[in-house]
Amino acid sequence: MSCTSLIPCGLSSSKNVKLPPQQLQMLITYLKHEDPCEFYEEDPLYVTEGEAVRMPLLSEDGDTKYVWHNEEMQEIGMSEDNRVHHHGEQLYFLPILLNDSGVFRRTSETCDILLFKVKVVKAEPFNQSVLYMPIEEKAVNPRVTCPNDMWQFCEDVGGNFTWYKDFRHIPKESGESILILNASKQDEGVYTCSCTWKHGGRIFNSSASRKLILKGECVTVLLFQEGFVFCVPGSKARLVCSVFIGFNVQDHCIVQWAVNGTLCVVFYYRNTEHNVSVCRTTLTVCKVSEEHFHTKFKCLATNSNKWDCVFVSLKHPKTMYQHVVVTLALLAIFILALGSFKFFLIDVVLLTRQILKTFHSQEDGKVFDAYIIYQKNDIGKAAAEQIFHFVEKVLPQELEQKWGYRLFIQGRDDLPGEDVMELVPTRVGLSRRLLIILTPAAQGSCVGSMSEMYGPPAGLALHQALVQDELKVILIELQSTGTSEHLPSELQHLVRKSTPLLWECQGFASRRFWKRVRYMMPPPP
């Protein structure tokens, strides 16, 4: 073979002739070597500007020496200070730029020449050419895997994986693949696995993207609901089974009726269009008899990867009234049971406390079961007598003498000469409940502070109760007022959180009142 045989026909071999780059490269190779090297060419590589690229992604075995050249036949060095350099068989772009597009040549010491064609695209808008092979799934729970060469490359460089869907980060996903449970059309899109890695003390990102396409399933939802069909004996009954096919369906579907386990109606469906589809099959009972009321009818729908079914029964119309009566009776029983439970809840709790009181331990460091405070200032004589009677007589008789509670009542249990202001926080801290007696407003009186109306110790006690969440407050009204505007702001806040208990002094209402008080108190000692 002569050199001129490499020149296209009809052209002379003068120095003014311009050959295509590929033929020119073959000519140069032939002139340099008596026997031309063997050429191999990789598939074009499409990458996004700004990413770090190692080419090829997968490392090769052996200690072969390589030389790299760019499209202008300039040799590429090995210095890591250069943005584009190589380490043996691999060429690095850290990062790759738009003007890096071209053909890169790798020559081995055995004269094997491998050509890499690189096409760099802009980062925005997203270019579909960089996508790997799409994932087309029919499964209910599809799995999106990172391209194998990118995954192995990330392991080689010791990188970390993150996942994105339509360029939005997917939290808590860092593996080779991600599993999508109960996939729907909203799960379709571009999935990107991004590898963050270090090279030469710098951090780079490399990524691979692929598209998930859900083909859909034939059987998604059976629209015919499981249940009863009421019909008169001797009439015709039509049982229609409707099946939602799905989206993007390219699959067959079989819908069939079975009577007592025997197939009798088959409908074969195949969809070739990408739209929403529904198929139906109808079972007709020409003349309903008593036998049909005991027959099992089943609609079964299947495709290549899923099946579903529903059961239907024929019922006589008279049984409809029986079903209505039974349903209403059950509903009434449920409502009655719910109301009874709510009404007797307090009694059940108190009875349980009585039964389990021997097992109850009060080793909580507390001394008093309740700290009692009541209004002393700015009240009339009648109101003062009512409060004194309730606090000094009724309350101790019911809670202390009957049920064994230990109360601390202001004015009754204070020791002469002690500093009340100093001891109130201590005694409140030693109490399990704070019981406040609410009194109606005096006519023409103004709203005062807690300390003004109940005294400074009461203000300290209430402040401590509001600060300490573990101290529960019980509010008792001696007379219904219908409003809390006359109360200090602190008590108005408590009234909004918990409805006060209204004292009743006679009959069933009195017993119910004290049960509610005991229910809100801690278990008795």
Side-chain angles (χ1 to χ4, degrees), residues 135-147:
I135 301 174
E136 298 184 6
E137 284 284 357
K138 294 183 181 179
V140 178
N141 304 319
R143 183 177 293 276
V144 179
T145 58
C146 187

Side-chain angles (χ1 to χ4, degrees), residues 206-406:
S206 302
S207 66
S209 301
R210 58 196 315 183
K211 198 169 187 177
L212 174 64
I213 301 173
L214 298 177
K215 286 189 172 182
E217 296 179 73
C218 177
V219 183
T220 304
V221 178
L222 284 171
L223 301 181
F224 191 100
Q225 296 299 319
E226 188 172 2
F228 306 114
V229 175
F230 294 98
C231 51
V232 179
S235 63
K236 180 188 290 188
R238 292 171 57 86
L239 306 181
V240 180
C241 183
S242 299
V243 181
F244 173 65
I245 304 302
F247 302 96
N248 296 331
V249 177
Q250 293 180 337
D251 198 1
H252 70 274
C253 179
I254 300 175
V255 185
Q256 50 197 336
W257 277 103
V259 180
N260 287 334
T262 303
L263 295 178
C264 59
V265 176
V266 177
F267 178 81
Y268 178 82
Y269 178 85
R270 182 176 181 86
N271 181 36
T272 57
E273 298 180 2
H274 292 186
N275 55 13
V276 181
S277 301
V278 176
C279 61
R280 297 179 177 87
T281 183
T282 302
L283 176 66
T284 303
V285 181
C286 298
K287 188 177 181 180
V288 177
S289 64
E290 288 292 334
E291 179 184 356
H292 293 125
F293 294 132
H294 307 285
T295 301
K296 292 183 179 180
F297 300 93
K298 179 172 72 172
C299 178
L300 177 67
T302 61
N303 76 336
S304 58
N305 50 43
K306 186 178 179 182
W307 71 274
D308 205 350
C309 66
V310 293
F311 291 89
V312 183
S313 299
L314 299 183
K315 295 293 183 181
H316 197 285
K318 65 181 181 182
T319 60
M320 177 178 63
Y321 302 107
Q322 297 174 357
H323 282 285
V324 172
V325 172
V326 172
T327 302
L328 292 177
L330 292 176
L331 181 61
I333 293 173
F334 174 77
I335 295 175
L336 181 62
L338 185 63
S340 300
F341 174 77
K342 186 176 181 180
F343 184 80
F344 292 105
L345 174 62
I346 294 177
D347 298 88
V348 172
V349 172
L350 295 179
L351 179 61
T352 304
R353 286 181 181 177
Q354 284 294 105
I355 296 174
L356 301 179
K357 64 181 180 180
T358 56
F359 303 99
H360 178 70
S361 175
Q362 289 188 327
E363 297 178 358
D364 53 2
K366 306 291 184 179
V367 176
F368 306 104
D369 294 297
Y371 187 96
I372 314 298
I373 60 175
Y374 54 93
Q375 185 175 354
K376 297 181 179 180
N377 305 326
D378 300 328
I379 54 175
K381 181 179 179 181
E385 291 178 354
Q386 184 185 26
I387 294 173
F388 179 81
H389 174 73
F390 182 79
V391 172
E392 297 290 340
K393 304 292 184 182
V394 178
L395 204 59
Q397 180 180 359
E398 187 69 30
L399 295 183
E400 289 184 330
Q401 297 177 21
K402 268 191 180 183
W403 300 104
Y405 285 107
R406 185 174 181 184

Side-chain angles (χ1 to χ4, degrees), residues 475-477 494-502 516 520:
L475 303 176
I476 294 179
E477 282 185 323
L494 291 175
V495 169
R496 286 191 293 268
K497 290 178 58 178
S498 176
T499 303
L501 304 178
L502 179 61
R516 293 176 67 189
M520 299 180 71

